[in-house]
Amino acid sequence: MARPHLPSTEAAVTAVREVARAYNLEMTVTDDIGTDQTSRRTSAGAFAVVDADGSLPHEAFIELGGAPAVTVQVFPEDDARITVDGVAIDDVPRDSVPAFLRSVYGGLAYVKGRLFTRGYWLVVPLPGDETYKELVPRAILSPWLSRNLRSR
């Protein structure tokens, strides 16, 4: 199944809203609009609101209710940071965000590792051959992460 192209931050927020509705999750969104508000616009001049090309960058921070605790920070540069129970996964393409969330809430995401190793890994498989893996320090192994633990 081909992923829909999400041409803007607002399109990504709309797609996340659809996922939240499908899984009956509460959702709050905070929008930051303008270079003076977005987190990555260090190249813009002091007190600038628009980019050099005249565009108005839009960043959104989304909090989803339920278990696991998930936040999504959608950046104007076509990528996102998704945090699942304290485990942050950076550089997720904006187009992959809905599939990522469906994997987490649909029961496909899991944690792998062993008790006496370096740690655990959060594994989030997406349709096709795309998989995200992020180290989970033992100190933040939440109840949801523990429930989804698979031994190697």
Side-chain angles (χ1 to χ4, degrees):
M1 180 170 117
R3 267 188 212 96
H5 175 62
L6 303 174
S8 67
T9 298
E10 190 57 38
V13 171
T14 299
V16 172
R17 191 169 273 120
E18 291 171 10
V19 172
R21 193 173 306 123
Y23 289 97
N24 199 28
L25 303 169
E26 296 280 329
M27 179 176 146
T28 59
V29 179
T30 303
D31 293 293
D32 293 319
I33 300 173
T35 58
D36 59 337
Q37 299 295 313
T38 57
S39 64
R40 290 186 176 168
R41 289 300 201 247
T42 57
S43 63
F47 308 109
V49 176
V50 295
D51 280 336
D53 65 358
S55 64
L56 192 62
H58 176 197
E59 182 175 302
F61 183 78
I62 305 164
E63 293 179 275
L64 295 166
V70 174
T71 62
V72 180
Q73 189 170 10
V74 182
F75 299 107
E77 294 87 2
D78 298 336
D79 70 322
R81 171 187 298 130
I82 302 176
T83 304
V84 178
D85 268 359
V87 180
I89 297 97
D90 289 311
D91 303 321
V92 177
R94 184 167 53 203
D95 293 348
S96 297
V97 170
F100 189 105
L101 295 174
R102 281 191 290 277
S103 181
V104 168
Y105 289 111
L108 297 175
Y110 61 93
V111 175
K112 72 177 184 178
R114 292 190 181 152
L115 182 61
F116 298 110
T117 61
R118 198 173 108 199
Y120 299 100
W121 292 89
L122 173 61
V123 180
V124 184
L126 274 55
D129 289 335
E130 194 173 358
T131 300
Y132 290 89
K133 297 177 185 177
E134 191 63 40
L135 185 64
V136 179
R138 276 187 224 104
I140 66 165
L141 202 56
S142 70
W144 184 87
L145 292 168
S146 295
R147 267 195 315 276
N148 290 288
L149 181 64
R150 296 182 190 170
S151 295
R152 284 193 242 193

